[in-house]
Amino acid sequence: MDFVFRSRASSEKRSAVTKMTADPQQPRDPQAPKGRPTPKRSEAQTQRRSTASTPVNRKDAAKRQREARRADLAKQREALASGDERYLPVRDKGPVRRFARDFVDSRFCVAEFFLPLAVLILVLSMLPSAQVKNISLLLWLGVIIMIVIDSVGISIRLKKRLRERFPNENLRGAVPYALMRTLQMRRLRLPKPQVKRGEQP
């Protein structure tokens, strides 16, 4: 008789579990087993927070995405000013790009004076004197030749230093990246220069 009662009780429990899995909306019998282990308090709190933070609709999701993008851009701006590698744009990341920046920032480059010289030559070319206009054309030609010679010299020296410093790294794009930096005035360069002129990178 005891075997019969035990079998009946266990079969009732199994049927209660089957009903709960079949119809999750039906209230569970307090005496019936749950069919799963009770979650820890920390796990339950994490699950509640993730459920609460999930956006309800597309508008909320787009708003949160915009806020996250704005925060990332703010971090990038701070990194460009401070040189923090963690939040720099992809094109500025890595030791190779950092060395290329330091190599350019540690010396005077003719190309960085291109904009002020171009403005000066433009002003001279607008004067009525034919002689001054000819001088401005010669200056323009001289500036271009000096920039080309200086850029070729920087390219050769930088390639050599990069091969010595980073023999196993991918150096693709580092030299054009450095030459583009030479065209910017030092105070306007981003990321901001981290070395002084004359200092070894």
Side-chain angles (χ1 to χ4, degrees):
M1 292 295 288
D2 188 32
F3 173 75
V4 172
F5 286 127
R6 274 205 305 273
S7 300
R8 185 176 176 185
S10 61
S11 63
E12 285 177 356
K13 287 183 179 181
R14 280 196 299 272
S15 64
V17 172
T18 307
K19 286 180 182 179
M20 281 296 296
T21 55
D23 186 9
Q25 300 298 326
Q26 185 176 354
R28 186 175 67 84
D29 183 6
Q31 299 300 323
K34 291 187 297 182
R36 58 181 174 79
T38 303
K40 293 180 180 179
R41 184 173 182 180
S42 59
E43 293 175 357
Q45 288 176 346
T46 305
Q47 189 174 5
R48 281 198 298 273
R49 278 198 295 269
S50 63
T51 305
S53 63
T54 304
V56 179
N57 53 36
R58 189 177 296 177
K59 186 177 179 182
D60 290 342
K63 183 180 177 183
R64 293 191 181 192
Q65 203 170 18
R66 283 195 303 272
E67 290 174 353
R69 196 181 304 119
R70 201 175 295 122
D72 289 341
L73 288 173
K75 285 181 180 178
Q76 278 191 7
R77 282 194 296 271
E78 291 175 7
L80 288 170
S82 64
D84 190 348
E85 286 276 344
R86 292 174 299 172
Y87 303 113
L88 284 176
V90 177
R91 67 181 178 86
D92 298 310
K93 278 187 176 180
V96 174
R97 297 298 171 98
R98 184 182 181 89
F99 182 84
R101 290 196 303 272
D102 292 346
F103 185 85
V104 169
D105 296 335
S106 65
R107 66 194 63 239
F108 283 98
C109 305
V110 178
E112 69 181 286
F113 303 107
F114 173 75
L115 284 178
L117 287 173
V119 171
L120 176 63
I121 293 169
L122 181 63
V123 170
L124 291 175
S125 66
M126 294 173 66
L127 295 176
S129 174
Q131 188 176 1
V132 174
K133 286 183 179 180
N134 291 332
I135 293 172
S136 68
L137 288 174
L138 289 173
L139 280 173
W140 185 252
L141 184 61
V143 167
I144 291 175
I145 291 173
M146 284 191 297
I147 288 174
V148 170
I149 293 172
D150 190 44
S151 298
V152 171
I154 288 173
S155 300
I156 294 170
R157 291 194 297 272
L158 179 57
K159 279 181 184 177
K160 184 180 178 182
R161 293 289 301 277
L162 285 172
R163 290 196 196 101
E164 292 172 355
R165 182 71 69 91
F166 308 101
N168 300 320
E169 294 282 342
N170 181 13
L171 307 179
R172 186 177 179 182
V175 173
Y177 172 78
L179 292 178
M180 287 298 295
R181 190 170 176 85
T182 62
L183 290 170
Q184 302 167 345
M185 297 178 70
R186 182 181 170 87
R187 68 179 61 185
L188 300 178
R189 290 173 184 168
L190 290 174
K192 293 286 187 186
Q194 302 295 312
V195 295
K196 297 177 180 178
R197 292 194 195 270
E199 187 179 341
Q200 287 295 324

